[in-house]
Amino acid sequence: MRKYFVVLLLLLAGLFSWAVSPVHEYTKQGFAMNTLIRMTVNSNDEKLLSRAFDLLNTLDNELSMYNPSSDLAAVNALAGKEKYYAPSDVIEAVRGAVRVYDITGGVFNPLIGAVTRLWKINQNDGKIPTHEEIEAALSLTDMNNLEITDEYILLKREGSVLDLGGLAKGYASDRLAQFFRDNGVKSGLIDLGGNVYVVGKKQDGSNWRIGIRDPLDPRGMPGLVASVHDTSVITSGNYERFKVIDGKRYSHFFDPKTGESVNSDLLSVTIITPDGTLADGLATAFMIMDFDTSRKILQGLPEVGAVFITQSDIRATKNLEGIVAPIGSQNITYF
């Protein structure tokens, strides 16, 4: 009897050790969505990050406007012709874009793609679109051209172009964060080329400390740090993509009313909120609109924190007091 009792204890010990298999910190880097990706998780599944990268690559292949084999490219190719029965992530990403369009009064416009293609900011070709070309592109950005259901997307006018570049990374960060939570991750970090989402707190129970780039630092070093958990920290800046023609700088932010590249003293906007899709879209929109309009929108979004960095000052919403702090001697004005 004693022999069987010992065997039983050994079996129970083995089952217990399997049930509480140790949690390790895993980190994996890669390239997707045209940027360097880094993800860190504390998990007992060493293959989890490989599956996360598989998900990210799937999203990239669905949401990229520039990948000719993507689902979004298929939607655009069928503009003015027929419906495209899109995967659920494409449907949800477009719905997220429509929501940000409504919140920002149309400043964030997912149909800006015709204008984006016209300017070719990624090509320093020395060309500026003519007024007639811009007007023609603007005529294709009317949101009445977009029809979306649970199953399909239809662009009603030929030449209309869906461009989700303003929030695709934010949407991907939401999906990855949910993927980690669904797989039992209590602590993790997703860095999609500066678009950051943190799941839970760090393994030691402290907040994650996320650097916010100083746009005036030529090395790209952080000027602020955000102490956060369970949220996204997403920055848009005029240093990301631009071209210079005859000494004038043209950014990749376009006014949906004029079709012109936007240039102002606003250098970057950082949004901190648990909704990565919303954060990415708002960061893009606030780079286009004036500060007073941005502030009015934020008054209706108490769950959203924002940091505005200009040539001369740093302004942040009051809900970030004690959360965002300067690394150097800068002062933050809270509103």
Side-chain angles (χ1 to χ4, degrees), residues 95-210:
R95 282 187 166 147
V98 172
R99 179 189 174 210
V100 181
Y101 173 89
D102 292 337
I103 290 172
T104 62
V107 174
F108 182 93
N109 186 335
L111 288 183
I112 198 68
V115 174
T116 304
R117 284 184 173 177
L118 182 64
W119 275 90
K120 300 177 182 177
I121 289 296
N122 290 335
Q123 301 175 25
N124 223 340
D125 55 5
K127 296 179 181 178
I128 301 173
T130 66
H131 176 73
E132 291 74 21
E133 288 173 329
I134 291 173
E135 287 297 312
L138 280 176
S139 70
L140 301 169
T141 65
D142 186 341
M143 284 289 281
N144 290 319
N145 293 333
L146 173 64
E147 181 180 325
I148 182 168
T149 72
D150 291 341
E151 296 181 336
Y152 68 81
I153 300 171
L154 172 64
L155 298 180
K156 299 175 184 177
R157 281 196 61 186
E158 186 174 359
S160 290
V161 180
L162 263 174
D163 180 358
L164 298 179
L167 54 62
K169 290 180 188 174
Y171 178 81
S173 71
D174 282 335
R175 288 284 282 110
L176 288 164
Q178 191 58 52
F179 170 78
F180 286 148
R181 293 185 184 111
D182 291 344
N183 283 275
V185 172
K186 299 288 193 279
S187 176
L189 180 144
I190 302 157
D191 184 349
L192 308 183
N195 283 35
V196 175
Y197 202 113
V198 293
V199 176
K201 296 187 176 184
K202 295 174 69 175
Q203 189 69 4
D204 63 7
S206 63
N207 280 342
W208 298 91
R209 290 172 60 80
I210 308 301

Side-chain angles (χ1 to χ4, degrees), residues 69 133 136 203 225 276 299 315:
S69 62
E133 288 173 329
Q203 189 69 4
V225 63
Q299 288 172 349
R315 288 172 281 186

Side-chain angles (χ1 to χ4, degrees), residues 275-289:
D275 186 334
T277 307
L278 176 63
D280 207 0
L282 288 179
T284 301
F286 290 167
M287 284 297 301
I288 299 169
M289 64 179 64

Side-chain angles (χ1 to χ4, degrees), residues 54-74:
D54 288 343
L55 171 59
L56 181 58
N57 287 326
T58 296
L59 292 170
D60 194 6
N61 289 330
E62 290 176 343
L63 301 175
S64 172
M65 183 178 82
Y66 297 102
N67 179 352
S69 62
S70 74
D71 290 278
L72 194 65

Side-chain angles (χ1 to χ4, degrees), residues 167-281:
L167 54 62
K169 290 180 188 174
Y171 178 81
S173 71
D174 282 335
R175 288 284 282 110
L176 288 164
Q178 191 58 52
F179 170 78
F180 286 148
R181 293 185 184 111
D182 291 344
N183 283 275
V185 172
K186 299 288 193 279
S187 176
L189 180 144
I190 302 157
D191 184 349
L192 308 183
N195 283 35
V196 175
Y197 202 113
V198 293
V199 176
K201 296 187 176 184
K202 295 174 69 175
Q203 189 69 4
D204 63 7
S206 63
N207 280 342
W208 298 91
R209 290 172 60 80
I210 308 301
I212 297 173
R213 178 174 174 173
D214 179 354
L216 294 175
D217 189 311
R219 301 165 298 169
M221 298 297 289
L224 305 171
V225 63
S227 177
V228 294
H229 63 89
D230 287 304
T231 195
S232 64
V233 181
I234 294 179
T235 300
S236 284
N238 64 8
Y239 49 79
E240 293 175 326
R241 288 187 290 128
F242 60 89
K243 66 180 178 181
V244 178
I245 301 174
D246 295 331
K248 184 175 180 180
R249 183 185 178 111
Y250 296 88
S251 77
H252 71 290
F253 299 103
F254 302 101
D255 186 329
K257 293 182 180 178
T258 66
E260 299 284 351
S261 173
V262 174
N263 288 290
S264 69
D265 69 341
L266 181 59
L267 303 178
S268 72
V269 176
T270 298
I271 302 296
I272 300 177
T273 189
D275 186 334
T277 307
L278 176 63
D280 207 0

